[in-house]
Amino acid sequence: MGCIGNILWFLFGGLWLGLGWSLAGILWCITIVGIPIGMQCFKFAKLAFFPFGKEIRFGGGAGKTLLNILWLLLSGIPLALEAALAGVILCVTIVGIPFGMQCFKLAKLALMPFGAEIVG
C-alpha cells in the first residue's frame, strides 16, 4: 500500500497539503530568526507529500514547548484546519478513510511540530 498509497495521495490531496507546509516554510525563512522554523516546515512538507509508510514520534522539552506555542499562534492553526478539513472530507467515503487518517496525522503534526520525529 505504501508506494501506491503515496502516488494516489500525492495526486489527490497531498500536493496541496505539502504546498501549504512549503509556503509556511518560505514565509518563515524570509526572516533570519525564522530560518530554523522554516527548515522544520520543509522537513514536514516532504512528509505531507508522501506520508504512507512513515510514523511520527512526539517528544518534548521546555524549548520545544515554547517553539510549539509560537508556532501554533502564527502558523499551526491554519495548517491544522486545512489537514483536518481534508481528513473529514476524505473519510466520508470508505475508500478515502486511509487517506483521511493520513490527514489527521498531519493535522496533529501541524499543532505541535517541534519535538516530533519522522520514523520510517
Side-chain angles (χ1 to χ4, degrees):
M1 174 79 179
C3 184
I4 294 171
N6 278 328
I7 292 169
L8 290 173
W9 169 263
F10 184 78
L11 294 174
F12 296 112
L15 175 66
W16 298 111
L17 291 174
L19 288 176
W21 278 98
S22 297
L23 177 64
I26 290 169
L27 292 175
W28 277 102
C29 283
I30 287 174
T31 66
I32 302 300
V33 177
I35 289 176
I37 297 172
M39 297 310 291
Q40 189 81 344
C41 289
F42 293 131
K43 181 171 74 171
F44 292 135
K46 184 177 156 185
L47 174 71
F49 285 131
F50 303 108
F52 284 93
K54 296 181 180 111
E55 294 296 321
I56 301 170
R57 287 191 197 143
F58 292 95
K64 306 231 190 268
T65 301
L66 292 174
L67 278 174
N68 278 329
I69 292 170
L70 177 68
W71 166 261
L72 185 63
L73 295 174
L74 298 175
S75 299
I77 293 174
L79 287 171
L81 287 175
E82 174 190 26
L85 181 63
V88 168
I89 291 170
L90 286 168
C91 283
V92 170
T93 65
I94 292 175
V95 176
I97 290 175
F99 299 103
M101 297 309 291
Q102 297 300 320
C103 285
F104 295 137
K105 177 170 72 173
L106 291 170
K108 182 178 177 184
L109 179 66
L111 292 176
M112 48 186 175
F114 296 99
E117 177 185 355
I118 301 171
V119 180

